[in-house]
Amino acid sequence: PPSTHRNASTSLRCPPPCIRLLQSSVKGKWCGKTVQDVLRSEFKDLSDNEYTSQLMTKGLIQLNGVPVRCEAVGLDGDRTGVSASTVLKNMDVVSRVVDWHEPPVMVSESISVEKMEMPANVIDEYNLR
């Protein structure tokens, strides 16, 4: 309902942040490239190596549900992640965990609905009767 998460003083609805998993199946042009190369070239917000390394250190970037680790973290045989230099194959899924924040929304107290006339040919063409 519109009153949920509303700031009484400003009438702004402020949805709480939520965790989302953004996933992308490997495209044909990504096959044969490393995870790090694809992240750098295809996703503008992940083109910064330092930022991407921080995300990998925290386990927020995954390949097939397994965290991707940069070489700086090291894999030391612990098998808790895959290397950022892993070559992508068809049917792999690259995912990223994000903390999603939606902007505040102004919700009107009264919502008015207006009826408008439509030409008969539009009504017939789209079967709106």
Side-chain angles (χ1 to χ4, degrees), residues 3-129:
S3 61
T4 305
H5 308 294
R6 180 180 292 215
N7 183 332
S9 63
T10 62
S11 294
L12 290 177
R13 188 176 66 85
C14 300
C18 62
I19 304 298
R20 290 199 179 171
L21 182 65
L22 305 178
Q23 294 182 332
S24 181
S25 297
V26 170
K27 316 289 186 258
K29 67 180 185 176
W30 296 354
C31 292
K33 294 184 179 180
T34 65
V35 175
Q36 195 162 19
D37 288 341
V38 169
L39 293 176
R40 202 178 302 133
S41 63
E42 298 291 329
F43 302 97
K44 292 182 181 179
D45 59 330
L46 298 177
S47 61
D48 180 23
N49 287 337
E50 184 178 328
Y51 177 62
T52 305
S53 294
Q54 289 175 357
L55 293 177
M56 288 181 189
T57 302
K58 295 175 182 176
L60 299 177
I61 296 177
Q62 302 172 350
L63 178 64
N64 300 324
V66 179
V68 176
R69 304 289 184 189
C70 59
E71 281 66 34
V73 173
L75 294 172
D76 299 332
D78 60 0
R79 310 306 285 158
T80 59
V82 294
S83 171
S85 59
T86 300
V87 176
L88 295 172
K89 305 179 301 282
N90 191 23
M91 302 299 290
D92 281 345
V93 177
V94 178
S95 55
R96 176 178 169 204
V97 179
V98 295
D99 187 16
W100 198 272
H101 293 267
E102 294 186 22
V105 179
M106 177 64 83
V107 179
S108 170
E109 290 296 328
S110 62
I111 298 174
S112 63
V113 178
E114 295 181 23
K115 183 178 178 181
M116 62 182 243
E117 296 296 322
M118 296 181 105
N121 63 341
V122 172
I123 294 172
D124 291 339
E125 184 175 339
Y126 294 103
N127 296 323
L128 298 176
R129 290 188 195 246

